[in-house]
Amino acid sequence: MLTLVRRVMAALGLAGLIATLFRLRGSGGVPPQTGGWQELTPAELADLKPLLVPPPSSNN
Amino acid sequence: MTTATGSGFVAVVGLGTTGTHIVRTLTENSTGPALRRLHLHDRESEAVARSRQIAATTSTTISTGPLNALSGEQPDVVILATDCGTHADAASQALTRGSHVVSISDDPDEVLALLAFDERAAGRNLSLVVGAGMAPGLSCLLARLAGDGLDRVDAINLAKAGTGGPACARRHHHALKQPGRDWVGGGWELRRGGSGRDLAWFPEPIGARDCYRAALPGPILLHRQYPDARRLSARVSATRRDRFTSWLPMLRKPHQDGGPGAIRAEVRGVRDGAAETVVLAVMAHPSVSAGAVAANAARAVLGGRAPVGAHGLARWPEPGRFLQELHPYGITVSAFGGGQMNTGPWQLTEPVESPGAGADNG
């Protein structure tokens, strides 16, 4: 019985340690705070390309 | 392309919720080729009377009855809005009679059967528009429009929320218990219906909905346009009750109209050497939008703007123009993008940050 308790405690402790490491090491980033759905005008439907952000230049 | 027809004779077969909206859209639309004659048919006389009343406000000549009872002049375009399972035979007969066909079927097996008429339709210089509803149909147009903005399309995921009339609700219920057909890495994979939960964000007021695999024809139609894509998939929104009861018969009578819904196409690919994702969506009543898409497809066929052969709307030559024509019916395309909405510059895609400047994702 004591062996089982010790194993459970060890497993929980290890899980907690891993979770703490993940919590401290990784920020997880910040979810987008802006943006959303935007209705397109009939003129914009003709060609979406002007709405696309230009790709970053290669010397960045 | 089809050649423009001068007679302007359209037949609508199946006058349920979506069929009624097809009639309304056809008769309300005063632009494009003139609609001289409209033939209506449904197995229920009440449905015929209702659609006849809608069309009676115009100068269009109206006739009713089964198509095979028509003698003499045959319709230029036959719109099939009947229950799934009847479209292949009806399309075959219409093609034999020399009519173009617009089908709103969303059954994958039936869509495959309709696409098999490709050579036959092309040989007669006829157009068979397959899946001209909301999903497939509007979904294919959104995917194509987004895909046209990219140099290469790698993956497309379609998602639909909501149902149209009772037949659409029954089809939704049936689809959830059948396997979904996804194109993955160069081959088709059948995956259990109701699996693969994906939280999809639709325009308000639909918002976020859990969507699942089901027997949906979107990937089949998209594959005709994007055979080199790595992944093509489609999902449909469902509640826990929908999934839990999908193996049972419908426990209660479906609504006359399923209310507002939405369709969404997420297209991933490459543009100017950089990875790009474009997400387009429409919030609309499924029956209204399906009716507008089918009616507009028929108008385009009459005007000689449809390719010959059997094809879905993913292969439509001018998806942007088609969507522009739907705008007066309240079918407005929205794009998901970054930037400050309404208060600052808004762009369709998030700017890509230079290496080292991004957040540490651990």
Side-chain angles (χ1 to χ4, degrees):
Chain A
M1 185 65 184
L2 277 176
T3 307
L4 179 67
V5 171
R6 272 201 299 272
R7 283 180 180 170
V8 169
M9 295 297 286
L12 288 175
L14 192 61
L17 183 66
I18 292 169
T20 305
L21 283 173
F22 272 118
R23 185 84 179 166
L24 292 176
R25 294 282 299 168
S27 69
V30 179
Q33 304 294 307
T34 59
W37 291 106
Q38 175 96 335
E39 290 188 353
L40 301 181
T41 63
E44 288 170 330
L45 289 172
D47 185 12
L48 291 183
K49 283 182 180 171
L51 291 173
L52 298 168
V53 177
S57 58
S58 56
N59 57 3
N60 274 348
Chain B
M1 291 288 172
T2 54
T3 49
T5 58
S7 62
F9 180 10
V10 175
V12 182
V13 183
L15 301 168
T17 308
T18 301
T20 307
H21 283 297
I22 291 172
V23 172
R24 181 174 288 117
T25 311
L26 273 173
T27 50
E28 278 180 358
N29 187 347
S30 58
T31 59
L35 186 66
R36 186 182 55 81
R37 182 178 170 189
L38 185 63
H39 186 84
L40 306 171
H41 177 60
D42 192 280
R43 62 188 175 208
E44 292 184 18
S45 56
E46 281 180 21
V48 176
R50 188 175 58 230
S51 290
R52 189 174 191 136
Q53 196 174 4
I54 291 168
T57 55
T58 65
S59 58
T60 306
T61 305
I62 302 161
S63 56
T64 59
L67 279 185
N68 52 19
L70 273 176
S71 58
E73 187 187 20
Q74 294 297 316
D76 296 313
V77 185
V78 175
I79 304 176
L80 299 173
T82 49
D83 289 354
C84 289
T86 60
H87 289 230
D89 285 345
S92 176
Q93 290 172 23
L95 290 173
T96 302
R97 287 193 292 264
S99 301
H100 303 282
V101 180
V102 174
S103 161
I104 66 164
S105 175
D106 61 351
D107 179 282
D109 293 331
E110 193 161 59
V111 162
L112 283 169
L114 289 167
L115 289 173
F117 291 143
D118 184 34
E119 280 188 19
R120 195 171 148 202
R124 291 166 172 261
N125 202 30
L126 294 172
S127 181
L128 168 51
V129 187
V130 183
M134 185 180 190
L138 193 52
S139 58
C140 296
L141 288 167
L142 294 180
R144 175 69 192 284
L145 183 68
D148 283 356
L150 303 174
D151 298 330
R152 188 185 81 216
V153 171
D154 290 332
I156 302 175
N157 184 33
L158 305 176
K160 180 200 173 194
T163 57
C168 184
R170 282 192 291 272
R171 174 79 201 118
H172 174 268
H173 180 82
H174 190 60
L176 273 173
K177 67 181 169 190
Q178 292 185 316
R181 200 179 315 224
D182 289 354
W183 176 261
V184 183
W188 291 106
E189 288 188 4
L190 288 177
R191 293 175 170 177
R192 187 170 59 84
S195 67
R197 184 170 67 181
D198 191 14
L199 185 66
W201 289 83
F202 297 96
E204 298 299 335
I206 304 301
R209 296 282 178 95
D210 278 328
C211 295
Y212 303 87
R213 292 191 187 97
L216 304 168
I220 296 168
L221 293 165
L222 290 175
H223 182 250
R224 301 280 166 137
Q225 176 65 22
Y226 300 109
D228 297 326
R230 284 188 287 112
R231 179 179 287 269
L232 302 169
S233 62
R235 284 175 169 77
V236 66
S237 75
T239 61
R240 285 193 182 92
R241 191 186 64 200
D242 292 336
R243 293 168 64 221
F244 183 71
T245 61
S246 64
W247 58 281
L248 297 168
M250 288 195 84
L251 299 177
R252 64 180 180 188
K253 195 177 175 186
H255 297 291
Q256 200 56 40
D257 192 303
I263 187 75
R264 179 184 193 276
E266 181 175 329
V267 180
R268 298 180 184 196
V270 172
R271 186 178 60 90
D272 293 337
E276 196 86 83
T277 301
V278 181
V279 187
L280 300 179
V282 168
M283 195 290 292
H285 278 66
S287 56
V288 175
S289 57
V293 170
N296 200 55
R299 285 271 188 186
V301 171
L302 280 179
R305 293 195 287 120
V308 295
H311 53 85
L313 292 179
R315 300 193 71 187
W316 198 260
E318 299 169 295
R321 180 176 171 185
F322 198 113
L323 290 165
Q324 285 173 334
E325 289 164 348
L326 297 178
H327 199 264
Y329 301 101
I331 297 170
T332 307
V333 179
S334 297
F336 194 85
Q340 293 287 343
M341 294 284 292
N342 304 323
T343 57
W346 183 90
Q347 286 171 307
L348 189 53
T349 49
E350 292 279 10
V352 180
E353 294 179 0
S354 59
D360 176 18
N361 289 322

